Amino acid sequence: MTKLLIFPTDTVYGLGTPYLDKEGLKQIYEIKGRDFNKPIAILISNLDQVKEIAKVSDNAFKVASKFWPGGLTLIFESSDTYYKKSGEKTIGLRMPNHKLALKLIDELGPLKTTSVNYSNQAPLNEYDAIMKVFGDKVDKVYPNEEVLSEVSSTVIDFTHDLPSLIRQGDITLDEIMKVLEK
């Protein structure tokens, strides 16, 4: 049963569905008008979920342990199990630092999640605006009780020997490299 949810994270509001729900994922792409070749990250609520979904090096685990929960998305090679189920060779994972988001992920499992907006437009972060534009397109929109940073997460690619910056957010590549130097 497909569930489409809009919920706050620590960075921006997210539009999500259970991570293996192909129909829910298809609906997210259609709602946003997003290119089907553009991947959508998975939000997790604990480090054990990482091992089910991705192949994680010791260095990547060290970075995840330092910055999660928080505004950092890490790109990994998919685990063999996840690849067989999804066909995705790589996957972005993030653990949001928001009580409601973590509670939803604990209840529903990892969620494929992207920002709430039409493709190539700024994310919507106000509950009333989200309800007006997307409220009738999803199963539930959750109000927010916490402050959002409204800065999208930093995205770091860990599929090669050295991590590389894909998108700059609040966490810098320098901060990540300092963790790896220790």
Side-chain angles (χ1 to χ4, degrees), residues 25-26 28 55 66-67 81 110-111 118 138 140 147 154 160 177:
L25 187 59
K26 181 179 173 226
I28 288 175
K55 296 177 183 174
K66 167 74 176 162
F67 292 103
T81 304
L111 297 171
Y118 291 115
V138 300
K140 179 131 175 91
V147 176
T154 297
H160 305 289
M177 296 311 286

Side-chain angles (χ1 to χ4, degrees), residues 109-124:
L111 297 171
K112 278 269 192 166
T113 307
T114 183
S115 58
V116 178
N117 58 305
Y118 291 115
S119 264
N120 301 317
Q121 292 187 8
L124 296 177

